[in-house]
Amino acid sequence: MTDTPVTDMSFEQAMSELEKVLGQLERGDVALDESIALYERGAALKKRCEEKLKEAEEKVAAITLDGDGTATGTKPVEGL
Amino acid sequence: MDLLDDPAPGQNTPEFTVSEISGAVKRTLEGEFGRIRVRGEVSRVVKARSGHMYYDIKDDRNQLACTTWKGQVARLNVIPEEGLEVVVTGRITAYGAQSKYNMNVDEVAVAGKGALMALLEKRKKTLEAEGLFDPARKKPLPYLPEIIGVVTSPSGAVIRDILHRLRDRFPRKVLIWPVAVQGEKCAPEVARAIAGFNAMTPGGALPRPDLLIVARGGGSVEDLWGFNEETVARAAAASEIPLISAVGHETDTTLIDYVSDRRAPTPTAAAELAVPVRHELIAWVEQQDARMRQALSQGLTRRDQRLRDMARALPRPDTLLDTPRQLVDTRGARLAPALIAGVQRRKVRLADVSGSLRPSTLQRAWASEDKRFQTISSRLDPALARALQVKKNSFAAQAPRFRPEALHRDLDRKKETFRAFVQRLSEAGHRQTAALRDKIEAAERLRLTLGYEATLQRGFAVVRSDGVLVTGSEAARKAARLEIQFADGRVTVGGKAPGRKGSAKPPQQGSLF
């Protein structure tokens, strides 16, 4: 298990941790107390995955450039 | 007659100024050829500071000077490059100031795919030799990027396709860096865009993307040529942000595709590589949740079932004790008879043993032993006497062999030897004594010869005064008394005064010599 707090994990990290937790639970070779702790961790990881999946917001912007071709800022792009 | 410079026959040729003829040549050239296409190999390319380009197009015998003005260069699809086989389009014109003609080119096409591909191969070899195509250099793409930077034309189907596919799969934040995707500006702008995205800071005012897509729709080799430029390929190779290239159709492979971290065959495919499908992930998460619950409840069910099974297998406490209890009963019942039987057995054995234990038995044993003693003691005396006799006989047999004669003989022999030794010792002693005596006599004789007494025999005398030897006349004169020794005795002279005695003495002394 990684030491990264669940709430700081990227979707990919949370996903791979969730798979590990599930693997351990399904093997069924952990003590009862530990399996409950695993379940709780799994629930937190699942929550983190759902959070990241909810952040599915489309926002399209185009870089604005000055005369030398250097980026100066962004402007929203509509209608694409 | 000759006052007038009459024109000679044939001398009515029109006369031009230089500028007139230059202009005429220029018009003729431009009018005669119009807009033409010329094929040849580019050489001696010079790009002037003004932005104009000067180069030659040549074949195996001749060369044609070409110019492309700054404004025209911007519109070229292919920038003339040393050694490149091209077809140039433009007009023949003349430059009167230098009496030269040349061609003004406003369109350049590569003379054939073969030529262009040869150029591309050359670049590929260079970059490959530098290790820029090494698979180890390729970075993994993020599983779910937060911000995607797209380098492409802001208008057109490509960006639309990408955004559309992203929306379908997983809507994300997208930053578009607008660039020209063909023509001379294409390569520098694309290279600049890639570097520009890399220069952004994560979470800054312009947030840095965590994935880049460089995209362009399909087109001719010439159209896509900007993505074959070394500057673009090097910018893509230097990108720290993972980069997907999607240039042209699947069959078009450009230089940037070799250095990008992933190559997508189309812009749509690039969007698919960029993000996973959101609803699939949601389903996956749900599925994981279900599996987790199931795994937990299965774990509990399994434990519960096991507990029940084991509980069933546990026997009742009563039945556990049945066997030992029965054992106690049967053993208890056997205890008393066993004790009685044991005592009985021992009693019988005691009776057996004590039955034969009576005084008569002891007396019988005693009598038997006593008789044996009598027999043995009666045999003692004769045995001793017999043994003594044997020893005596043995001594008598040995005794005659001990006789003293041998000892006496030995003693006589040794006495004789001793006597001989004494004899030899005594003789040796006499011999030694006689020799010593001879030596002493010889020495005495020598002493007498050397001593003064013998001298006295020959008429010399010794003078003494008061026992002290007088050896000179002076001492004789001074002496009160002189004693003179001769061979046969001593005579005393004087008793007078020392002076006189001394005067009387010298003649006597002198007579001695």
Side-chain angles (χ1 to χ4, degrees), chain B residues 109-140:
Chain B
V110 174
K113 253 191 167 171
L116 208 52
M117 287 304 132
L119 185 67
L120 180 58
E121 279 309 310
K122 202 178 87 188
R123 289 180 182 165
K124 266 169 65 181
K125 281 210 179 71
T126 311
L127 296 189
E128 191 167 17
E130 286 177 34
L132 297 188
F133 300 172
D134 190 348
R137 280 181 54 96
K138 308 227 178 271
K139 296 175 283 297

Side-chain angles (χ1 to χ4, degrees), chain B residues 52-258:
Chain B
H52 308 321
M53 280 186 76
Y54 305 96
Y55 49 97
D56 291 343
I57 299 294
K58 63 173 186 182
D59 60 17
D60 52 350
R61 278 177 310 208
N62 294 294
Q63 57 185 32
L64 173 65
C66 296
T67 54
T68 302
W69 310 123
K70 187 184 177 186
Q72 296 171 316
V73 170
R75 286 192 297 275
L76 288 182
N77 279 337
V78 175
I79 304 301
E81 196 171 314
E82 192 78 31
L84 189 60
E85 189 81 15
V86 291
V87 176
V88 294
T89 308
R91 310 175 81 84
I92 295 287
T93 182
Y95 183 45
Q98 283 185 1
S99 184
K100 283 180 176 165
Y101 73 93
N102 63 63
M103 183 169 171
N104 176 240
V105 175
D106 56 16
E107 215 182 303
V108 178
V110 174
K113 253 191 167 171
L116 208 52
M117 287 304 132
L119 185 67
L120 180 58
E121 279 309 310
K122 202 178 87 188
R123 289 180 182 165
K124 266 169 65 181
K125 281 210 179 71
T126 311
L127 296 189
E128 191 167 17
E130 286 177 34
L132 297 188
F133 300 172
D134 190 348
R137 280 181 54 96
K138 308 227 178 271
K139 296 175 283 297
L141 304 183
Y143 186 79
L144 181 58
E146 298 285 335
I147 303 170
I148 300 168
V150 183
V151 178
T152 191
S153 163
S155 56
V158 171
I159 186 65
R160 219 184 295 271
D161 286 350
I162 291 174
L163 291 177
H164 185 73
R165 189 46 62 97
L166 286 179
R167 203 172 294 145
D168 284 351
R169 291 169 69 87
F170 205 128
R172 296 278 76 184
K173 293 195 186 75
V174 177
L175 273 180
I176 303 167
W177 192 303
V179 292
V181 290
Q182 65 186 75
E184 194 208 11
K185 280 184 182 167
C186 170
E189 285 188 7
V190 170
R192 187 159 198 153
I194 294 171
F197 271 136
N198 274 281
M200 292 173 176
T201 45
L206 281 173
R208 189 191 202 220
D210 34 26
L211 178 68
L212 295 186
I213 298 174
V214 177
R216 193 213 187 276
S220 67
V221 176
E222 291 84 351
D223 289 343
L224 302 182
W225 195 250
F227 296 89
N228 285 325
E229 293 293 350
E230 224 175 292
T231 50
V232 170
R234 287 192 187 281
S239 175
E240 282 169 20
I241 305 170
L243 188 146
I244 301 173
S245 64
V247 177
H249 295 302
E250 189 155 9
T251 48
D252 307 318
T253 303
T254 50
L255 202 57
I256 191 175
D257 292 323
Y258 292 100

